[in-house]
Amino acid sequence: MNNNYLSIKKIMQLVYGVLVFACFMPYVFDNFYSMVFMRGQLLRIFFYASVFLYIYKKLYKEPLVNIWIFIVAYIDIQAHLISGYGINIMNIYIYIDIVVFSVYCCKTIPNFFLKVNTYYFTVLLALNTLFMGSNGAFINSNGQVSYLIGTKTSITLFQIVAFLFVHVYYRAKSNKKKNDATLLYMVLIASVVIYNIRQPISTSKICMALWFGMMFLYYIFPKKIGIVLNWLFWVINVVNVLIIFFKIQYRFEYLLVDVLHEDLTLDNREYIWEIVIANIINRPLFGHSINSNVSFGLSEALAYNRSAHNQILSWIFYFGLIGTIIIFILLALLFYRYKVLDIRGVITRMTLTVLATLWISEQWFLFTNFMLITILLNYLQEYEFKDIESKLSKYIYWR
């Protein structure tokens, strides 16, 4: 019986490792038909396996799984009703595969789930830095300069995922077994720094500075910074709305222009947002669906541009206020899942705060990275942080 269990466990580890590659395959492979075809076949097989796991392993009892399935179903049905056809079937496969398999692994082999994602995203970012060209690796189907794992926005999002997994992986290990985690952390930091030296990404620099800044201050002033973290995510989202609708960035000219070297229109994003808002007014509740062909282009050179360059605005435009509220309910459930000064609560709040900072000026169309982040945060209780909790216990004054 034990041998059978071990063999099943090893098979699941192999399957999940392949799944991670299939779901987060570097965009550069999209140029190879054989890789795209093989990936599609694998995702379809994994989808049928996901349905089996969902029923047989009773994953319908896991609230996070049901919330994500509900969100995917909402987006698909909304797209059918508005545009006449649903979202890409491959995206449905990817979403269901990630959620079901990742949650199942979190419940059964949590250490492997953490390890395989930590190694994969760290190595991926290192390779992206190693093989980057001064003018980009290739031009993608949308005419954008892309690197091994995608555009600058994609790279920043991958960096946030990698830092979250590496940090949890490092903290979940005892002091005597941190060698590989320490090496991975160093490789990740080096790859991000070198990339930003060769090809600066302002959002990457801001997000990483915020991540390490919050971490550093928390270990010095855990009680005070813990209270700040309990509000910072929501404050940044309010600031986001104020920037979009009231242009308050003009009040911070010194910070934007002299410190961050950005123009006050945030690289013309202000004008793009005006176009997006004008379109949102037409369908505020249910949105235009992810299949919308509405362009936010500002000129002939940018005649077709589907990016709102703001995540909240993008959600409202594509999914409507109803879909956006559903997503924020998920975020609120994650945010308040752990106490504010529990290390799990700190990691959750730090991660969501960095994401909120990113989506002031950027957006993502696919939920893949976002899903993986929510899954790890939701199941942080599967890992022990004894070396941290013992030091913080005296500061935890509400339970």
Side-chain angles (χ1 to χ4, degrees):
M1 181 68 177
N2 192 38
N3 290 334
N4 290 336
Y5 171 75
L6 290 175
S7 61
I8 294 173
K9 182 178 178 181
K10 289 180 179 179
I11 292 173
M12 180 54 67
Q13 289 176 346
L14 176 62
V15 168
Y16 187 72
V18 174
L19 175 67
V20 170
F21 175 78
C23 290
F24 298 97
M25 187 175 74
Y27 290 108
V28 70
F29 287 117
D30 288 349
N31 293 330
F32 302 95
Y33 174 78
S34 58
M35 290 294 295
V36 174
F37 177 78
M38 181 179 69
R39 178 186 186 231
Q41 298 306 309
L42 284 172
L43 291 173
R44 183 179 289 107
I45 294 171
F46 287 139
F47 174 76
Y48 296 135
S50 296
V51 174
F52 171 78
L53 285 176
Y54 180 77
I55 299 172
Y56 183 71
K57 295 298 182 180
K58 299 181 180 180
L59 292 180
Y60 50 78
K61 294 183 178 180
E62 297 294 325
L64 184 65
V65 176
N66 294 324
I67 290 173
W68 270 120
I69 290 177
F70 179 80
I71 290 175
V72 172
Y74 169 84
I75 294 172
D76 188 50
I77 294 171
Q78 177 228 27
H80 270 290
L81 294 175
I82 295 174
S83 64
Y85 60 98
I87 62 177
N88 189 304
I89 189 64
M90 282 299 150
N91 289 340
I92 293 180
Y93 289 160
I94 291 173
Y95 293 154
I96 301 302
D97 292 347
I98 288 176
V99 171
V100 172
F101 271 92
S102 294
V103 169
Y104 178 73
C105 288
C106 276
K107 300 293 292 182
T108 57
I109 46 175
N111 291 328
F112 179 80
F113 165 80
L114 181 60
K115 185 175 183 177
V116 71
N117 282 292
T118 300
Y119 270 85
Y120 183 74
F121 286 103
T122 302
V123 171
L124 202 59
L125 284 166
L127 291 174
N128 184 70
T129 299
L130 183 64
F131 292 108
M132 68 177 288
S134 59
N135 296 316
F138 64 99
I139 303 298
N140 66 16
S141 58
N142 294 322
Q144 299 170 302
V145 175
S146 294
Y147 298 87
L148 181 69
I149 57 177
T151 62
K152 293 181 180 180
T153 302
S154 300
I155 291 169
T156 303
L157 187 55
F158 270 99
Q159 289 171 357
I160 295 173
V161 176
F163 272 108
L164 170 62
F165 272 91
V166 169
H167 188 69
V168 174
Y169 186 62
Y170 178 83
R171 289 303 180 190
K173 285 200 162 193
S174 64
N175 290 328
K176 296 180 180 180
K177 298 181 179 180
K178 290 185 183 291
N179 290 340
D180 67 325
T182 303
L183 178 61
L184 289 170
Y185 226 140
M186 293 173 62
V187 168
L188 180 58
I189 292 173
S191 65
V192 172
V193 170
I194 293 171
Y195 186 93
N196 273 290
I197 291 174
R198 298 180 63 187
Q199 182 65 63
I201 306 176
S202 56
T203 50
S204 170
K205 291 187 288 186
I206 292 171
C207 289
M208 294 308 105
L210 183 61
W211 174 270
F212 285 105
M214 288 188 295
M215 189 188 305
F216 177 75
L217 290 174
Y218 180 76
Y219 290 135
I220 299 177
F221 311 106
K223 186 174 180 180
K224 293 180 180 179
I225 301 302
I227 295 174
V228 171
L229 286 174
N230 207 36
W231 293 99
L232 191 56
F233 169 74
W234 302 110
V235 169
I236 289 176
N237 281 295
V238 170
V239 170
N240 189 354
V241 173
L242 291 176
I243 289 174
I244 295 171
F245 293 99
F246 300 100
K247 304 179 182 180
I248 66 167
Q249 73 270 20
Y250 284 90
R251 297 180 179 272
F252 303 95
E253 182 176 351
Y254 174 77
L255 175 63
L256 281 172
V257 178
D258 297 330
V259 177
L260 299 177
H261 305 292
E262 295 283 349
D263 67 88
L264 292 176
T265 66
L266 301 177
D267 197 20
N268 293 324
R269 282 168 172 78
E270 175 186 323
Y271 308 124
I272 294 175
W273 296 339
E274 291 175 356
I275 298 174
V276 178
I277 292 170
N279 283 278
I280 285 175
I281 293 173
N282 298 327
R283 303 184 65 92
L285 286 180
F286 296 99
H288 293 254
S289 91
I290 199 65
N291 294 329
S292 171
N293 291 319
V294 174
S295 173
F296 312 128
L298 296 175
S299 63
E300 292 183 3
L302 295 172
Y304 187 68
N305 170 40
R306 292 184 65 222
S307 177
H309 286 286
N310 183 284
Q311 192 63 63
I312 294 178
L313 213 54
S314 175
W315 284 337
I316 297 174
F317 174 80
Y318 288 110
F319 310 135
L321 287 171
I322 294 176
T324 305
I325 290 171
I326 294 171
I327 293 172
F328 268 93
I329 288 174
L330 168 61
L331 290 169
L333 291 173
L334 281 173
F335 190 86
Y336 294 111
R337 180 169 174 75
Y338 307 105
K339 301 299 182 181
V340 64
L341 291 179
D342 184 321
I343 188 60
R344 296 165 183 81
V346 171
I347 292 173
T348 298
R349 286 161 173 78
M350 281 175 50
T351 305
L352 295 181
T353 298
V354 172
L355 284 176
T357 303
L358 172 65
W359 65 47
I360 289 177
S361 60
E362 302 295 348
Q363 72 168 76
W364 58 81
F365 287 101
L366 295 177
F367 283 107
T368 47
N369 298 74
F370 187 37
M371 282 177 164
L372 202 59
I373 288 173
T374 62
I375 291 167
L376 178 58
L377 294 179
N378 189 69
Y379 291 96
L380 283 176
Q381 78 274 4
E382 300 293 334
Y383 307 101
E384 295 184 3
F385 301 89
K386 293 181 179 179
D387 57 328
I388 301 296
E389 288 177 340
S390 61
K391 295 177 183 178
L392 299 181
S393 59
K394 64 179 180 180
Y395 295 106
I396 301 176
Y397 55 92
W398 62 76
R399 285 282 187 182

